[in-house]
Amino acid sequence: MTETRVLPLRLPILPGEGVDSWLEALSRRNGMPLSAFLRVLGLPRHSLTRPLVTDLPTASLRTLETRTGLPAGRLDQAVIGPGFPFGPRRQRRCRFCPQCLAEREGRWLLKWWLPWVFACTAHKALLHDTCPGCGKGTRVRLPGHTHRFPPTACTIGSRLVSVCGTDLSSAELLPLTSDHPLLAAQCRVDSLLATPVTARTVLDDLNHCTSWLMHTIDDHNVAPMGATIQRLWQHRPLATRTPADRAKPLGSAVSGVIAHTALPFLDTDDDSFAVHAVHNLRARHDTANKVIPRGMTAEQWSQLSPAAQRRFLHAGDHTMGALDRVRFASSTPRARVPSPGDQRAGARIRHVPQLLWPSWTVRLMPREGTQENLCRGIAAALLLLPGEPDLRARGVTDRLSPHLPNAMTVTLQRALKSGHPAVLTALCNLAHYLDDHGSPIDYERRRRLIPVAPISPDDWRELCFRTGNQPGEQLSSKTTVAPRYLNAQRYLNQLLTGADLTDPRHPLTLRSVADRSRYFAFPPSLTLDQRDALHRHAVGILHDLSIKEPLTWEPPQECADGLALPGRRLDDLDLEEVRRIVITEQRAPREAARALDTTLAHVRFALERVPREPRAWSRRSSVGSWRLRQQAKAVLTADFLQREYIDGGKPLRDIARETGIPRPLAVAHARALGVTVRRTRKPFPMDPAWLREQYLTHKRSTLDIASELGTEDETVRRRLKRLNIPLRPPGVHSRTIMTKTDANLPRAVRTAVKGTLHGWLRLHRFQIAMRFPSLDSAAHYLKVEPNALVTQFQRLERDIGTPLFNRAAFGRPQQPTKQGRQLLRNLEEERVQALMTTSLQHDQITAQPDDHTLESAHAKFRIRRNPGPPTPFSDMAVERVRITGPTLILLRHLLTRPQEEFYGAEVIPRTGLEPGTLYPQLKRLERAGWLTSRLEDDAAWMNRATPGRGPGRRRTFYTLTAEGHRAAHLETQHRITA
């Protein structure tokens, strides 16, 4: 091992001195040129000076320290570390302060090599860039002839005779005032250099911003710095000039102006101040919709630190295109330029549904101008854009929703034009939340595994019946699937996967505008029980697929804290108001949106949370039938039927009546349980001999016999058939009154009553009618309709076979014929009268008219009057109306409640009048002034609304007036109701 020799003549290195200056001083001390001295030290020989402070190997530094007696590591402070940002231009020269150089006897400071050291803070002066004698950059080439010239002399020149030799310490000082901006900027740079890591980042950014700042800084910004700085700034080398200018190093004045302008937004912890400073600079010569500032190359932009890029993005947020603002998240604290290999945005797709979550939809969707599904689909696709290195927006969003039109930019611009730029911030915040926290739902997996038809038709029917709802079996003309069942499949599929049903690739896609409207109306139509049942079914599907995830999930609303978004929170809407407007008053959801100052989507999502009461279904409906079948399963068990039906002998008819289950259903259920069902009851006990006697001998009807035995008429008839007894014709022909006839009766009387049901009644009425002058007067006395009396007498004449009376005409009363007079004489016989009285019921017998009644009837018959208008009342201020039978019934009913207000529907069951008869009578009486009316008020009308339906038509209430009460009492006083 060879021993390193120590130099006999050594000099200490001064604080802050560069290794090049120290080596030059050592060479002078040893009386050797610097180049020869470097060979003696075994250091690599360079033609340039700067490599001595930037490129010396660490091993060479350790050897130097040993040979010069310096402590280990001392020379690390005299060199510039590798990779130090020297700037975008070649900076091979060293600046200097003449006064510092004189005070240090020609020893050069290390920091003078740095491109962003441009002023001396000790002497408050601008550093020199060149030799005042030859005008060339100092210490560019390795100093020569160092043993022949003083340390402060300029040694530029290849030969001894051509060396400049100017004393640099005598150069003119370029003073700066103590408050000069460049001096303050230099102090800031010096403080930066105390922390090498921070200095490297800030100065590297400063290098990349140099060309942009040289184009951006205006002359009026430099004017306050003095005439000298302004003159030097105007002669700065620009990239727009010759290639030689583009390679020229920057002077100390130019570097100072650039550092003074850039350090406030590069070396600061106040992001808002930095962004404001960059924004003011970008606003001067920038181009709209441009991410990279004008004057900065793409290479320079890509080499900026993330913090600097973030500030530039924040400053250009309002000038960039909408898609770029989302891609770079320029409105958020996490604005950044994506790196080419960044996969975070691509991995985000598994956490994003095809349609944006409902609560975020109502907050981000503009009030007008955007279709809901389009807005939700584009917003969800845009969540893939933040941090995506692919510059093609469709290349990113087509991974999720390739069916969407190229309307992403238009959608974002509408949000911006509506005065809500925070929509972009909210989208970026959602993307960042998904990157940081992920999502408990893997939508990508669900889209792959969830079946297209999440519920079978049988399960849907069972679910609906169990929750008291109709499954909707009606099929449309264009599909073989029940529309309501199809929408249930869509609802479940979208609930589980967040699918966009406008995607034509989806098997359950919405086919038309009408189809879309029907589907949108489906979720609000679900009752609370039905919606809960569907959600439980969806949870069951996840369980069957071994997916341990919540059914639904949405990012927290805190992602939009402090942002002014177009819509309110989904929970902010008053559900009772929504119910009142849409369900109770049955107004359109769009009207509810206008009334509540929100969007239609907000109202639609709110309707899904409004509980709807199930309808009351009748027993004949499918829901009622299902309930009866469930009741039959619960009640008619095998043990119950064994006990009650088989062992107890109770008929199924009685069992069905007691349990409220229809007999056919009870029979079917019993047979399904394997129970043998008897077709009839047990035979009713009946004595055959007694039955023969009663039916054949006494000619009793089957109805009479059944009443006596306490059984049914049909039971007696079946027993007679089994006994081979011929049955008489059914119906009235078997009644006793028709089967029993006295053979001694006069022939005409016997013919009129034999084989007929009401023969004696017709004879009785004929006997009375022939005493009156006309059938009308006779009908009035008998209290029957004249037409009925005409029909009965025609039947009587047909049975006897001869006309019995001549009809009345004006001035000629009706008269019996010869056969009619004979029939009347026969009817006056005592035995005939006795048999007539026995055959007729009590209410069918009418007393013979007295002389006064007959005289009055004949008097009226002789007077012929044409009906005219009713005679007006003399002392009542109402019109007189013609009183008919229905009018008389109505008036008598109203007189029983003179002060009561009523409506038509409650009068109908009290009077028995038909609606078509009652309502015209009410209108006629109202026109005549007998009644007054009013419409039902709003409160009463709404209170009687059926749950889930509207209130229907308003009622009209009537009241009998005082004059109408007097008129009704007068008209009904002497009238008889027919």
Side-chain angles (χ1 to χ4, degrees), residues 360-582:
W360 283 102
T361 298
V362 300
R363 296 210 66 187
L364 299 182
M365 194 171 76
R367 292 290 183 92
E368 296 178 353
T370 304
Q371 183 182 345
E372 178 188 330
N373 261 52
L374 181 62
C375 180
R376 293 184 69 186
I378 289 178
L382 284 171
L383 292 179
L384 305 180
L385 200 56
E388 173 58 47
D390 190 349
L391 298 180
R392 299 175 302 109
R394 290 307 297 261
V396 179
T397 57
D398 281 1
R399 303 172 194 169
L400 184 66
S401 303
H403 68 285
L404 292 177
N406 193 14
M408 288 173 287
T409 303
V410 175
T411 302
L412 290 177
Q413 286 176 349
R414 283 177 179 168
L416 297 176
K417 291 179 180 178
S418 65
H420 295 93
V423 170
L424 278 63
T425 307
L427 289 172
C428 297
N429 287 348
L430 287 174
H432 294 154
Y433 182 88
L434 295 177
D435 291 341
D436 295 341
H437 306 282
S439 167
I441 296 178
D442 188 343
Y443 291 99
E444 191 72 18
R445 176 174 61 180
R446 289 195 182 185
R447 286 189 283 265
R448 185 177 67 255
L449 297 181
I450 296 299
V452 174
I455 186 170
S456 66
D458 293 339
D459 289 342
W460 167 245
R461 286 173 55 84
E462 182 72 16
L463 184 148
C464 291
F465 290 149
R466 193 170 60 251
T467 56
N469 293 276
Q470 286 281 11
E473 296 295 336
Q474 295 80 10
L475 301 180
S476 65
S477 59
K478 298 183 179 180
T479 180
T480 58
V481 181
R484 192 160 178 81
Y485 169 58
L486 176 61
N487 287 329
Q489 289 181 316
R490 289 168 171 166
Y491 176 78
L492 283 175
N493 195 289
Q494 192 173 66
L495 181 71
L496 287 164
T497 66
D500 185 357
L501 297 180
T502 61
D503 188 349
R505 302 172 303 166
H506 200 286
L508 299 176
T509 184
L510 300 173
R511 305 290 179 183
S512 62
V513 176
D515 198 15
R516 175 177 175 271
S517 299
R518 284 192 294 269
Y519 173 66
F520 276 5
F522 175 77
S525 70
L526 298 174
T527 64
L528 190 60
D529 291 341
Q530 194 175 17
R531 187 181 301 116
D532 291 343
L534 282 172
H535 286 201
R536 288 193 297 271
H537 183 84
V539 171
I541 293 174
L542 295 178
H543 181 268
D544 295 340
L545 295 173
S546 300
I547 298 177
K548 296 180 180 180
E549 296 175 353
L551 177 59
T552 59
W553 174 84
E554 295 191 9
Q557 292 293 320
E558 287 73 14
C559 295
D561 283 351
L563 300 180
L565 298 177
R568 296 178 288 172
R569 291 174 180 260
L570 187 58
D571 297 334
D572 289 347
L573 210 58
D574 189 346
L575 297 184
E576 287 302 321
E577 279 297 300
V578 176
R579 171 193 284 275
R580 180 184 64 81
I581 297 173
V582 179

Side-chain angles (χ1 to χ4, degrees), residues 205-492:
D205 289 337
L206 184 55
N207 291 335
H208 300 313
C209 293
T210 297
S211 60
W212 168 63
L213 289 171
M214 291 176 68
H215 286 82
T216 304
I217 298 173
D218 294 332
D219 291 342
H220 70 272
N221 297 120
V222 186
M225 299 181 187
T228 302
I229 303 299
Q230 189 175 15
R231 173 177 55 79
L232 294 175
W233 172 257
Q234 290 175 350
H235 291 85
R236 67 191 182 279
L238 292 175
T240 56
R241 297 178 182 174
T242 63
D245 286 335
R246 288 195 291 268
K248 286 181 179 180
L250 300 179
S252 57
V254 176
S255 298
V257 172
I258 293 174
H260 163 71
T261 307
L263 286 176
F265 63 82
L266 292 178
D267 179 29
T268 180
D269 295 329
D270 189 349
D271 277 350
S272 60
F273 175 78
V275 170
H276 180 70
V278 176
H279 177 73
N280 290 339
L281 291 170
R282 292 196 65 166
R284 296 178 181 177
H285 305 290
D286 226 344
T287 305
N289 298 329
K290 190 173 178 62
V291 179
I292 302 176
R294 184 179 180 184
M296 184 182 297
T297 64
E299 182 180 3
Q300 293 169 342
W301 167 258
S302 63
Q303 293 176 358
L304 285 174
S305 66
Q309 285 184 340
R310 183 174 64 252
R311 291 169 177 175
F312 272 92
L313 292 174
H314 286 328
D317 179 56
H318 297 290
T319 60
M320 290 189 298
L323 290 180
D324 286 334
R325 295 173 68 179
V326 176
R327 177 184 290 107
F328 300 120
S330 57
S331 59
T332 70
R334 297 174 58 169
R336 65 184 180 89
V337 177
S339 57
D342 196 340
Q343 299 297 324
R344 279 182 292 179
R348 199 182 301 141
I349 190 171
R350 59 192 291 265
H351 302 309
V352 179
Q354 272 192 304
L355 289 180
L356 192 67
W357 302 280
S359 62
W360 283 102
T361 298
V362 300
R363 296 210 66 187
L364 299 182
M365 194 171 76
R367 292 290 183 92
E368 296 178 353
T370 304
Q371 183 182 345
E372 178 188 330
N373 261 52
L374 181 62
C375 180
R376 293 184 69 186
I378 289 178
L382 284 171
L383 292 179
L384 305 180
L385 200 56
E388 173 58 47
D390 190 349
L391 298 180
R392 299 175 302 109
R394 290 307 297 261
V396 179
T397 57
D398 281 1
R399 303 172 194 169
L400 184 66
S401 303
H403 68 285
L404 292 177
N406 193 14
M408 288 173 287
T409 303
V410 175
T411 302
L412 290 177
Q413 286 176 349
R414 283 177 179 168
L416 297 176
K417 291 179 180 178
S418 65
H420 295 93
V423 170
L424 278 63
T425 307
L427 289 172
C428 297
N429 287 348
L430 287 174
H432 294 154
Y433 182 88
L434 295 177
D435 291 341
D436 295 341
H437 306 282
S439 167
I441 296 178
D442 188 343
Y443 291 99
E444 191 72 18
R445 176 174 61 180
R446 289 195 182 185
R447 286 189 283 265
R448 185 177 67 255
L449 297 181
I450 296 299
V452 174
I455 186 170
S456 66
D458 293 339
D459 289 342
W460 167 245
R461 286 173 55 84
E462 182 72 16
L463 184 148
C464 291
F465 290 149
R466 193 170 60 251
T467 56
N469 293 276
Q470 286 281 11
E473 296 295 336
Q474 295 80 10
L475 301 180
S476 65
S477 59
K478 298 183 179 180
T479 180
T480 58
V481 181
R484 192 160 178 81
Y485 169 58
L486 176 61
N487 287 329
Q489 289 181 316
R490 289 168 171 166
Y491 176 78
L492 283 175

